[in-house]
Amino acid sequence: MVNMILNGLDISVEEGTTLLEAAKFYGIDIPTLCYDETLSPYGACRLCLVEVGEPGKAKLFSACTYPVREGLIVKTNTKRVIDARKMIIELYLASCPSSKKIQDLASEYGVTEVRFTPKNDECILCGLCVRVCEEQMQAKAIGFIDRGVNRYISTPFERQSEDCRLCGACMYICPVCQARCQGPREEETICNACLNISPPCLEKYDEAMCYMDPCVACELEKEPDE
Amino acid sequence: MAPLPVKFKTKEDFLSFKQRSIEQYEKNRCYLAVCGDTGCSVQGSKNLYDQLEIYLRKQGYTENVKLKCTGCLGLCENGPLVIVYPQEIFYQRVEPEDIEEIIEKTVIQGEIIERLLYSDPVSGEKYIYGRELPFYKSQLRNLLEANWKIDPGSIEDYIANGGYAALVNAVTEMDPGAVVEEIKKSQLRGRGGAGFYTWVKWEECRQQTGRKFIICNADEGDPGAFMDRSLMEGNPHSVLEGLIIGGYATGAQEGIVYIRAEYPSAVEKLKLAIDRAEDLGLVGENILGSDFNFQVYLSIGAGAFVCGETSALIASVDGRIGEPVQKPPRLVQNGYLGRPTVVNNVESLANVPLILRDGAQKYCRVGTEKSSGTKIFSLVGKVNNTGLVEVPLGITLREIIYDIGGGIKEGKQFKAVQTGGPSGGCIPASSLDLPTDFDQLSSAGSMIGSGGMIVMDDETCMVDIARYFLQFLADESCGCCFTCREGISRLLEIVKEISDGSAKPGQLELLKELAGVVKDSTMCGLGQTAPNPVLSTLRHFEEEYRAHIEQKHCPAGVCRELITYSIDQKLCNGCGLCLKNCPAGAVTGNKKEPHYILYDKCDKCGVCTTVCRAEAVIKQ
Amino acid sequence: MKKAIVLGFEVPRGPDGVSIVALLQAIQDKYNYLPEKLLRRAAREMEVPLIDVYSVAKFYKSFSLVPEGRHQIVTCTGTACHVRGSEKITEEISRTLGVKVNSTSPDGEYSLKCVNCVGACASAPLVIVDGEYHGNMTPLKAGKLFAQGAKGKTAVS
């Protein structure tokens, strides 16, 4: 067992666990986009950053790929971490405003403005589809092509792959494929409708509708023949 | 190449070979060192060498006058360079037409040819002997000196000049721990950029068991830096010797040299050096009769700056895309093929034989307390004497740029010097007296990095420089982590807006905030240091940024959207040269009448300014 | 140097055998590009998933999946070259020959590429034509160098 300090608490975890797994075990919430517990971690989305190291010398690392070690000092919610997370979410919003997951993250972390020119990327290159295809489906039909901003996901030679069994796992696992709700402010880059702890729908209903998946509050409002 | 004798089995075998090499070397005291480095060959030195060979053969001088096609001799600006030995007479800008005179007058009769001597651009004073030139006087060419004396293809030359003595001594007289101890005493710090203590890496690796690797990082991706290339082209054995000693010290039996594809000449020289070393048994099984085995492999890069990052480098050697991985676990625990691996820079390894040969104590006497030894810098840009300089660490930037570099070209004003490549920053005139020390340069917002030193004058726009580096890093980012890929792209977007005058107020603050987050949150060194050029230019040249944003003005006259070209109607004589040469067809006018520029067609390429003999083109 | 023969190519061996990158380099050297058929065979022969081979081919700048021109023109865009005006030179060449950067001219004669530093910084800016280095270039010199080429003559310099 490895002993370390997480958010001021002395904890003990098994060797070989990552900081993210350790935090989850102790009920500490760290946001992620490219992580799935059934797949190997990748560390690409940079949302799960935590502060590791002694005060004054600490650096930020992605928790999903950082192995626990004896004597580590880890903090998951320092100002430095939160500031980084907010800027990263702002960047995600500017890239991919049509994703429900990203809009929800924005509301959760209080990101209320987007100061970058919005694009409409359909992919955040989290790599979940590549990993599920390789690790769960054992097909390796898709992968990362090219580099930098030109990076995209595709099959060999951009054609139908013989290795692809059309299982749909890649679509299933994609965090961006789930479109945002067509609720209030749907045209704007940032919605923030669920920003308040008390969602607007609570004024009408007994239960906050947007915590249902999918949210149907606006559907219930419509007249039958609309 | 003549076949070499059988592999060395003992120290004595080496020593007798060394004796014979020295005797042969002494016999050839009269020789011409012709720089064959890529830098000089661009200026025609290859042809010069060939012509010299022909002439010597025709005149029957080949027995007494030797030719050595050497590596970089240093003063690249004034190539092709020829140094006449044994006197060490330094000739520059040599043309094939000068050959007969050089041989007949200087070599045979000892006469100096004035017009071929170096003349100081400011004082006009001429210098005969290489060491006297102001360029060389303030340098301490511990590593590069050998370039003047050896033929890089000749292992005999290298051994005659002291080469491989350190390796032989290490393997036959010292144990690995003692070798590491000597490197520790020398306080050698990595010359590739990070400045990490070499002995720490080596000792940690030495402690591991099982299969281990030592890799020489010869990727030299920093644009503007060519120190490693010149070391490999001019003295490949020095790097090889360092690598083998490193293998001995760490217990790694396999060494890999990862070299960039853009250095074909260095690849050839290294291949030859490895072959020659193998012939003599300095690489292979049971080196010098010990139980130390060492194999050397060459792995060639395929065009990716990110592969200079150690974990991406290893991925590339492994045949995968150059995607770095987060550390920990560190390479010394989980490196190439999951085994303990040490990665060292070319120049760091070249220092190793020097340290073991002369002793760590002597090595430490050069440099500062925390930065020992010499460092090779590639001094380029708007400076008079461009080339490779080797100086003791601790020397000030001012001494390098003015004493060695001869000051700013064309008498212009110094503006900044960029060090550390895309990971570094710009240092302004106010910090010219900063010593070149690992820690001092870092606290000034830059770093020594690999040694690239680009001098800029007042015609360089700092916003344009920031844009240039960001564009470079955007092209080279592997694209794996979001903050690097998207962060650099957004930083570039903002800087482009500033450069073309369309930036809104508040962009500077956003730029600083974003740069801070990218620096903090990215996985690898590329992304973490990507914001440095922006942050350092912002720190020292904020007014220049503000001029672009608030006044839509580029003080240096570089940013295209913010400058206009026009023709002074009073000075123009109507010669029509600008009209003829304008690639955009933006000049109009009748013969012998003043011409004028059509603003909406003008590409801001500046060709008109270069062809106009009346200096009638105005740039605002 | 340790070598191995793979698919008829002589490829250097590393500590772990032949790397796919080394094999692709040998193919690129011979054909001036990476033909799809050969890449598929390489994947089968080396027992590497096809997507990984394709990924490597598209990641590294020295590989090309389309045939490059008979003449390869490379401008260096390193810092020293940039400070001395390499951008304008690239533009001038692109304009004179009618080739966009990172592509080949329609008649298959020229490809134009930019490279991030060839290490000859003291002779900046550099243009390399078919492996021959030309230093201290200016947009005018570049224009003249290729003017013949644009007119259809086969010799570039």
Side-chain angles (χ1 to χ4, degrees), chain A residues 140-147 151-152 154-160 162-163, chain C residues 34-37 39-40 49-52 54-56 58-61 65 116:
Chain A
K140 259 220 133 169
I142 53 174
F144 287 110
I145 311 296
D146 214 332
R147 66 190 198 207
R151 197 175 227 221
Y152 59 98
S154 187
T155 51
F157 305 100
E158 331 289 332
R159 294 206 295 275
Q160 181 93 23
E162 299 100 40
D163 300 310
Chain C
L34 299 175
E36 182 180 328
K37 278 213 173 91
L39 287 182
R40 286 180 182 270
L50 182 61
I51 187 67
D52 286 344
Y54 186 64
S55 185
V56 165
K58 294 278 272 187
F59 181 87
Y60 291 104
K61 291 303 158 223
L65 284 156
N116 282 322

Side-chain angles (χ1 to χ4, degrees), chain B residues 24-337:
Chain B
Q24 187 62 34
Y25 188 82
E26 294 287 294
K27 263 206 233 147
N28 298 332
R29 293 176 67 243
C30 178
Y31 69 92
L32 290 158
V34 182
C35 181
D37 183 81
T38 304
C40 270
S41 57
V42 166
Q43 300 179 69
S45 69
K46 258 262 93 217
N47 179 43
L48 182 69
Y49 182 85
D50 293 339
Q51 297 294 322
L52 268 164
E53 216 173 29
I54 293 173
Y55 184 85
L56 287 174
R57 225 181 314 126
K58 241 191 3 196
Q59 305 296 98
Y61 291 152
T62 49
E63 197 48 46
N64 297 316
V65 183
K66 300 293 174 188
L67 271 184
K68 275 197 216 281
C69 187
T70 64
C72 180
L73 297 174
L75 187 53
C76 313
E77 177 78 30
N78 294 41
L81 300 176
V82 174
I83 308 183
V84 182
Y85 279 90
Q87 311 97 310
E88 226 175 69
I89 298 171
F90 191 91
Y91 285 146
Q92 44 100 64
R93 301 201 207 277
V94 180
E95 310 259 309
E97 295 76 55
D98 305 316
I99 289 178
E100 188 174 341
E101 252 191 283
I102 294 177
I103 305 292
E104 302 301 337
K105 278 213 185 126
T106 307
V107 178
I108 311 265
Q109 296 176 36
E111 261 178 56
I112 310 291
I113 305 170
E114 290 274 325
R115 71 164 187 287
L116 292 177
L117 292 179
Y118 174 81
S119 135
D120 187 280
V122 177
S123 69
E125 194 180 336
K126 289 197 184 231
Y127 299 89
I128 302 174
Y129 303 106
R131 282 166 214 281
E132 294 174 343
L133 270 73
F135 178 75
Y136 292 106
K137 229 175 166 174
S138 311
Q139 294 188 41
L140 185 58
R141 299 173 73 86
N142 291 345
L143 290 169
L144 291 177
E145 187 177 43
N147 279 20
W148 289 26
K149 308 225 182 91
I150 66 174
D151 171 350
S154 163
I155 197 171
E156 293 91 335
D157 267 10
Y158 182 65
I159 291 177
N161 278 278
Y164 286 118
L167 171 64
V168 170
N169 197 46
V171 173
T172 57
E173 312 281 334
M174 300 167 83
D175 69 12
V179 176
V180 179
E181 188 58 35
E182 196 67 11
I183 301 297
K184 176 177 178 179
K185 280 200 222 133
S186 76
Q187 298 202 53
L188 175 68
R189 288 171 78 163
R191 298 296 198 248
F196 200 64
Y197 284 98
T198 307
W199 77 267
V200 173
K201 282 188 190 175
W202 281 16
E203 180 59 25
E204 249 197 288
C205 189
R206 190 179 79 84
Q207 303 284 357
Q208 310 292 320
T209 52
R211 192 181 188 191
K212 300 183 257 188
F213 295 98
I214 179 166
I215 302 182
C216 171
N217 185 347
D219 193 49
E220 194 164 56
D222 282 1
F226 58 102
M227 301 73 55
D228 293 351
R229 179 183 66 65
S230 297
L231 265 174
M232 289 186 288
E233 283 186 25
N235 195 352
H237 284 285
S238 66
V239 182
L240 186 57
E241 189 180 357
L243 184 68
I244 308 170
I245 294 175
Y248 181 70
T250 57
Q253 299 202 345
E254 288 157 290
I256 304 170
V257 180
Y258 182 79
I259 177 169
R260 87 200 243 100
E262 294 87 334
Y263 286 175
S265 183
V267 171
E268 287 313 309
K269 300 266 169 27
L270 263 172
K271 274 191 187 160
L272 181 61
I274 296 170
D275 284 344
R276 303 310 271 167
E278 265 173 3
D279 289 341
L280 286 179
L282 292 166
V283 165
E285 313 266 309
N286 302 110
I287 296 177
L288 292 158
S290 72
D291 53 15
F292 170 52
N293 308 326
F294 195 73
Q295 296 292 349
V296 182
Y297 300 91
L298 217 53
S299 177
I300 303 187
F305 171 77
V306 69
C307 289
E309 195 277 342
T310 49
S311 59
L313 191 160
I314 286 173
S316 182
V317 173
D318 203 25
R320 293 176 281 121
I321 58 173
E323 227 180 65
V325 288
Q326 183 162 271
K327 300 168 191 146
R330 286 170 307 126
L331 292 179
V332 75
Q333 273 127 14
N334 187 3
Y336 180 56
L337 303 180

